[in-house]
Amino acid sequence: MSSNGSATALRRLMKEYQEISQNAPEGIMAGPSDENNFFVWDCLIQGPEGTPFEGGLFPATLTFPKDYPLSPPVMKFTSEMFHPNVYPDGTVCISILHAPGDDPNQYESSSERWSPVQSVEKILISVQSMLSEPNDESGANIEACKVWRDDRKQYNRIVRRLARETLGL
């Protein structure tokens, strides 16, 4: 990747940081981990009301490629997370973060996947929405899918415990 590409990415990230700093969606905070590196951001997502995630504050990182916004960032929760669409290592698996173009598994339409018109704000709103409405058809965490489908009370107990732990309770 040329340094010109990463300069374009840096300008875009600086603009998005300014926008999200001035007008953050409710329950979402995000910004560079270090003012000297705009390619890694710390994020904090409040658990959506009316879900077992409610009350929790879930930290995550966004790591941007040098060719952003042509390619999507990688999002990873840094606290323990039990969710059908989050891999056991914390990596988030949702359509908006999948590379542009056609899905080789023909599960997603290209319109659901990453495109350069997406933004940090749209990603974080999508992830917050994903917490409310898991997609158990394309599970990243098979155990969480199984518990979510077969024993919702147990799923809710596990998630509520993790939400409390994010607050140090």
Side-chain angles (χ1 to χ4, degrees), residues 69-143:
L70 299 177
S71 298
V74 171
M75 184 167 179
K76 195 170 191 173
F77 282 102
T78 55
S79 64
E80 190 181 346
M81 179 59 76
F82 189 73
H83 188 283
N85 307 116
V86 179
Y87 286 100
D89 74 353
T91 302
V92 175
C93 179
I94 59 172
S95 303
I96 193 174
L97 292 175
H98 295 161
D102 292 326
D103 178 5
N105 303 320
Q106 300 187 344
Y107 175 73
E108 302 162 332
S109 77
S110 60
S111 65
E112 297 172 302
R113 296 167 72 88
W114 178 258
S115 80
V117 302
Q118 306 293 6
S119 66
V120 170
E121 180 177 333
K122 287 180 185 162
I123 293 166
L124 297 177
I125 289 170
S126 295
V127 169
Q128 198 175 38
S129 173
M130 172 205 80
L131 293 178
S132 302
E133 300 170 26
N135 176 355
D136 65 346
E137 290 177 33
S138 70
N141 181 328
I142 303 309
E143 176 67 13

Side-chain angles (χ1 to χ4, degrees), residues 1-11 39 66-67:
M1 168 76 359
S2 70
S3 60
N4 190 24
S6 62
T8 302
L10 180 60
R11 275 194 306 278
F39 290 90
K66 297 294 182 209
D67 68 344

Side-chain angles (χ1 to χ4, degrees), residues 17-66:
Y17 175 52
Q18 184 179 14
E19 287 169 10
I20 207 163
S21 297
Q22 292 170 350
N23 193 14
E26 191 169 331
I28 291 172
M29 293 190 316
S33 307
D34 173 346
E35 293 290 328
N36 296 318
N37 179 5
F38 266 75
F39 290 90
V40 178
W41 287 28
D42 290 326
C43 311
L44 203 53
I45 296 181
Q46 191 174 349
E49 285 183 28
T51 74
F53 292 94
E54 183 174 358
L57 288 172
F58 299 91
T61 58
L62 274 170
T63 305
F64 297 90
K66 297 294 182 209

